[in-house]
Amino acid sequence: KAGVTQTPRYLIKTRGQQVTLSCSPISGHRSVSWYQQTPGQGLQFLFEYFSETQRNKGNFPGRFSGRQFSNSRSEMNVSTLELGDSALYLCASSPSVGSTDTQYFGPGTRLTVL
Amino acid sequence: AQSVTQLDSQVPVFEEAPVELRCNYSSSVSVYLFWYVQYPNQGLQLLLKYLSGSTLVKGINGFEAEFNKSQTSFHLRKPSVHISDTAEYFCAVIAGGTSYGKLTFGQGTILTVHP
């Protein structure tokens, strides 16, 4: 079974631009979560989607948004990029919602903001 | 809310030596515990998880961890490491009994195995 895929793998943007990252979960998985990884703040939860509904949101400004489609694929968008948004963005999928489900991570999208 | 503290940011060891990576957590509710590994330029891979039952959990690649509720710890161990174990290791918790999948991670421990 194919793993979680994320596109693109690398992205360079300038301040003020917006960006959209894509995540395709493992086939059959219906829950998708997003995390931001930076050297200073570590791994931080962004949001979680299940059945096209955002079920949980981390402590990030409104510039960060996401959505999930009927085929469980998910996108996250960051508007008005800031230098501090440079990070590795990781997507994880799990079969359903619930704290016992294992989250399977993709390779991430590395975003650099200049 | 939950928090996780990984007590060592870097752990250097020689090949075939044993290793322990330490993790303590804080939570006002019951939690489930996880260890993930991240190799360079890759995502996270689950090593093992504790949900309930036996406090000694065995995972992939010869790793194991022991849940200690009284000390709120979940230390990761391997009796004999290989060069290929060089990576960053993350301890994570999730609030038990919820339908939310929000993982809270520690800051990571970089394990470097020397020949």
Side-chain angles (χ1 to χ4, degrees):
Chain A
K1 201 182 259 192
V4 178
T5 58
Q6 293 187 245
T7 56
R9 290 291 310 276
Y10 302 91
L11 207 48
I12 300 176
K13 293 286 188 180
T14 56
R15 279 182 299 174
Q17 287 187 309
Q18 77 164 16
V19 67
T20 299
L21 312 181
S22 181
C23 171
S24 292
I26 292 171
S27 177
H29 285 195
R30 297 172 61 197
S31 178
V32 172
S33 297
W34 289 89
Y35 295 83
Q36 181 197 62
Q37 185 177 23
T38 60
Q41 299 298 316
L43 280 152
Q44 294 185 287
F45 172 80
L46 279 157
F47 22 66
E48 177 188 21
Y49 287 88
F50 178 77
S51 291
E52 302 177 64
T53 301
Q54 187 181 92
R55 293 179 56 83
N56 202 0
K57 189 177 191 305
N59 189 26
F60 278 83
R63 299 185 297 107
F64 291 81
S65 64
R67 58 178 176 169
Q68 186 181 34
F69 302 96
S70 58
N71 61 358
S72 296
R73 190 177 70 85
S74 177
E75 290 181 347
M76 67 163 281
N77 184 77
V78 188
S79 62
T80 320
L81 284 166
E82 300 177 0
L83 295 179
D85 297 332
S86 293
L88 180 67
Y89 290 87
L90 293 163
C91 165
S93 77
S94 57
S96 182
V97 288
S99 47
T100 59
D101 274 1
T102 297
Q103 295 185 33
Y104 297 87
F105 284 80
T109 293
R110 181 154 313 269
L111 171 65
T112 302
V113 182
L114 302 175
Chain B
Q2 296 76 45
S3 68
V4 178
T5 302
Q6 291 184 240
L7 298 162
D8 306 293
S9 59
Q10 297 193 53
V11 173
V13 294
F14 287 106
E15 194 173 18
E16 298 183 6
V19 70
E20 178 179 80
L21 306 184
R22 298 179 294 167
C23 171
N24 285 95
Y25 69 92
S26 173
S27 176
S28 57
V29 299
S30 63
V31 295
Y32 301 129
L33 297 139
F34 304 80
W35 274 99
Y36 281 88
V37 61
Q38 185 175 35
Y39 299 101
N41 299 315
Q42 294 187 29
L44 302 175
Q45 180 184 8
L46 180 71
L47 281 175
L48 48 80
K49 65 181 179 181
Y50 174 78
L51 302 181
S52 65
S54 172
T55 57
L56 183 62
V57 181
K58 293 191 183 297
I60 63 171
N61 300 342
F63 284 94
E64 63 181 33
E66 185 151 23
F67 170 58
N68 188 319
K69 188 174 181 179
S70 62
Q71 297 187 7
T72 59
S73 68
F74 190 54
H75 300 333
L76 181 71
R77 302 185 184 102
K78 186 170 182 177
S80 176
V81 295
H82 303 290
I83 297 287
S84 59
D85 292 323
T86 295
E88 189 162 15
Y89 292 78
F90 293 92
C91 180
V93 302
I94 200 166
T98 74
S99 59
Y100 295 127
K102 174 187 174 183
L103 284 163
T104 299
F105 287 91
Q107 285 295 102
T109 297
I110 297 173
L111 173 65
T112 305
V113 182
H114 298 283

